[in-house]
Amino acid sequence: GQQVMQIPQYQHVQEGEDFTTYCNSSTTLSNIQWYKQRPGGHPVFLIQLVKSGEVKKQKRLTFQFGEAKKNSSLHITATQTTDVGTYFCAGLVTNTGNQFYFGTGTSLTVIP
Amino acid sequence: NAGVTQTPKFQVLKTGQSMTLQCAQDMNHEYMSWYRQDPGMGLRLIHYSVGAGITDQGEVPNGYNVSRSTTEDFPLRLLSAAPSQTSVYFCASSYRGYSGANVLTFGAGSRLTVL
């Protein structure tokens, strides 16, 4: 079954509002990655988190990795229309070798 | 440097037909994988390979075969297509960095419809 769950599935925001997507795993993750897929495109790597409690920022994007390494979040401050797309987390599960389990994704729509 | 190249981009098959989705990368990546993307299901791993001659099953391997005779190529074969295999397929490769984690580079995708 799905090892990595992601919520919400869809999010509509007004331009300028903040946005957060959450990723939860039933098992401990070695690390977690985040990808963005523009409509009609392919997933593109954004960032990787490895350490427990790690927080990384990329301009308006803030990524967190939980203390127990079972959850993660992506927060976008003051969304712009260029943020439109689907955001996926991908967790590397410790006991499955090289398998990354992707979350179901959160589709973000930004209303101008 | 083309990255990850997938062909074809679009394909329509009839139930029972066979076909191969091609994937090639020119980055000398050791790890290659195939995912399928369906609405509400995210990306699910079909098969993966950690090097030439080595393949393993992912979450949803049934109905698909793979081989890895070279570092560059990782074709995905559908032996007898079924409507449930209608999906968008992504090939992804990675270089195993010093931390042991694989950052995936995806191809543009192949949209397959099985009638």
Side-chain angles (χ1 to χ4, degrees):
Chain A
Q2 194 82 31
Q3 295 206 31
V4 178
M5 304 303 296
Q6 196 172 346
I7 57 170
Q9 189 172 354
Y10 302 98
Q11 185 79 57
H12 292 71
V13 299
Q14 289 288 141
E15 188 173 16
E17 290 183 338
D18 293 355
F19 158 77
T20 305
T21 174
Y22 301 90
C23 191
N24 293 288
S25 171
S26 56
T27 56
T28 302
L29 303 171
S30 297
N31 62 49
I32 196 157
Q33 297 175 351
W34 285 91
Y35 292 80
K36 177 183 178 180
Q37 183 179 23
R38 294 184 185 276
H42 58 276
V44 175
F45 173 77
L46 291 176
I47 207 161
Q48 175 173 274
L49 304 169
V50 179
K51 299 176 183 177
S52 169
E54 189 171 13
V55 178
K56 286 188 175 181
K57 292 190 176 184
Q58 286 181 350
K59 297 183 180 178
R60 294 178 294 104
L61 279 61
T62 302
F63 303 84
Q64 292 187 334
F65 199 9
E67 293 290 342
K69 301 184 79 172
K70 287 187 174 183
N71 58 75
S72 181
S73 65
L74 158 60
H75 179 81
I76 302 178
T77 303
T79 53
Q80 300 175 359
T81 54
T82 53
D83 296 325
V84 165
T86 301
Y87 293 84
F88 292 98
C89 61
L92 185 64
V93 181
T94 308
N95 62 352
T96 63
N98 289 301
Q99 288 200 37
F100 268 98
Y101 287 91
F102 275 79
T104 46
T106 297
S107 175
L108 173 64
T109 299
V110 179
I111 304 164
Chain B
N1 191 339
V4 179
T5 302
Q6 286 184 236
T7 56
K9 291 191 187 309
F10 302 94
Q11 182 73 50
V12 178
L13 291 177
K14 294 181 180 179
T15 297
Q17 287 185 316
S18 63
M19 77 156 298
T20 299
L21 297 177
Q22 301 292 345
C23 177
Q25 53 91 8
D26 60 359
M27 298 173 285
N28 201 30
H29 282 174
E30 302 143 307
Y31 180 89
M32 296 186 74
S33 55
W34 278 101
Y35 289 85
R36 59 176 290 172
Q37 183 174 25
D38 304 291
M41 301 293 288
L43 292 155
R44 292 183 292 168
L45 183 64
I46 304 171
H47 285 284
Y48 67 98
S49 167
V50 298
I54 306 169
T55 63
D56 208 344
Q57 297 180 349
E59 301 171 81
V60 289
N62 293 341
Y64 307 94
N65 275 357
V66 291
S67 60
R68 184 92 180 270
S69 56
T70 67
T71 299
E72 294 78 19
D73 300 299
F74 190 45
L76 179 72
R77 297 183 187 85
L78 283 70
L79 303 176
S80 178
S84 61
Q85 293 178 304
T86 293
S87 187
V88 179
Y89 292 85
F90 288 100
C91 178
S93 71
S94 69
Y95 171 73
R96 193 172 181 85
Y98 73 93
S99 67
N102 301 326
V103 174
L104 293 169
T105 299
F106 283 83
S110 299
R111 183 176 293 275
L112 175 66
T113 301
V114 182
L115 303 175

